[in-house]
Amino acid sequence: PELLENEEYFVKDLIPGYHYLEASLDNFIEVTRYAMQNMTDDELQRIVRNANAWCRENMTEEKLSLSFMSVVDGYVESLYRGDPNWVDEWNRVQERYVGIEPELPIWGHGNFTDVIGTQSNDTPRLLTTLVER
């Protein structure tokens, strides 16, 4: 399914009526009223349990870090499609304006997830390094 303008990438994994009650700002009151009048406490608690279980499994630092790195990989691939030599310009800008010597050998050599692999113990360190720059 195609994502709407303000939807997050993980929305496709969530199931209405199983992880959440589908509502918008336009019908929020009606959905809330329906749930309170027509659904049992057990049904509502089941939805909350399912949502919490999904969050515990998917909203971890490790999974969010890997997801972020996947997004960065997509941008890097787009840059290479536009100009295979973009990394040279990136490094020149870093040296000139930021005053740092490029340290991350992964630019232009595979993708981030290839470098950190599925063992993502270094992912938070790598993200911190990127953010601190």
Side-chain angles (χ1 to χ4, degrees), residues 88-102:
D88 297 330
E89 180 62 23
W90 173 264
N91 288 336
R92 279 193 294 279
V93 168
Q94 278 188 314
E95 290 173 23
R96 182 173 181 188
Y97 295 105
V98 184
I100 60 170
E101 192 72 28

Side-chain angles (χ1 to χ4, degrees), residues 36-48:
M36 292 176 68
Q37 293 173 353
N38 298 304
M39 297 181 77
T40 66
D41 286 347
D42 288 342
E43 289 174 307
L44 294 170
Q45 288 174 4
R46 178 186 48 81
I47 292 171
V48 170

Side-chain angles (χ1 to χ4, degrees), residues 66-82 86 107 110-113:
L66 287 173
S67 176
F68 170 78
M69 298 308 283
S70 175
V71 170
V72 171
D73 281 345
Y75 288 127
V76 169
E77 287 176 27
S78 294
L79 288 169
Y80 274 115
R81 280 194 301 275
W86 75 270
W107 292 110
N111 62 39
F112 290 110
T113 50

